[in-house]
Amino acid sequence: MNLWLVAAAGASALTMLIHLVAGGREAARPLLATDGLAKIPKFTLYYCWHLVTIAIVMMAAGFFYASGLGGGTDIAVAATAGAILFTIWNLLMIVVFKLRLLHFPQWILFATIAILGLCGLVL
């Protein structure tokens, strides 16, 4: 069993939990409560929030499956690539929109997942 990939699965699961609890409180609920957006953009954003939830769950499941349940490394490569891309996109948004680094800490979570995934693939 590849313990690095198990750790990546655990970090993904933790990230999903943080996304649901903190993201629900800080992003999803205020979004749904706002009257300033028309229905189509409002519910499109809410839909996208849930797509992120699904993506993180799939990342966790993929890492866990690839860790030794019979899966090859292809799924771990895809999950690691996703974590790297989520990290890069988060940091680019922070720079481009002049946001505060710690107001959007998702990059920390996804960078951790990416590093653990890379270790699982290389070590």
Side-chain angles (χ1 to χ4, degrees):
M1 180 162 276
N2 186 324
L3 295 180
W4 289 107
L5 295 182
V6 171
S12 299
L14 177 63
T15 298
M16 188 269 306
L17 233 101
I18 293 168
H19 170 74
L20 286 176
V21 174
R25 183 180 62 243
E26 299 292 324
R29 272 192 246 148
L31 172 67
L32 291 176
T34 187
D35 292 327
L37 283 174
K39 283 187 176 184
I40 291 175
K42 179 179 186 172
F43 291 105
T44 299
L45 291 170
Y46 188 59
Y47 175 72
C48 289
W49 186 78
H50 282 291
L51 290 179
V52 171
T53 306
I54 293 165
I56 300 170
V57 167
M58 291 176 67
M59 187 179 292
F63 277 125
F64 188 68
Y65 180 76
S67 72
L69 291 177
T73 58
D74 289 353
I75 196 162
V77 169
T80 301
I84 291 168
L85 292 170
F86 288 164
T87 302
I88 291 169
W89 180 242
N90 192 199
L91 291 170
L92 279 173
M93 284 183 60
I94 289 168
V95 170
V96 168
F97 296 108
K98 297 175 178 68
L99 305 171
R100 298 181 101 185
L101 195 61
L102 293 180
H103 283 183
F104 297 89
Q106 297 89 335
W107 64 272
I108 298 168
L109 298 167
F110 286 110
T112 301
I113 295 166
I115 291 166
L116 291 169
L118 286 170
C119 287
L121 292 168
V122 176
L123 300 178

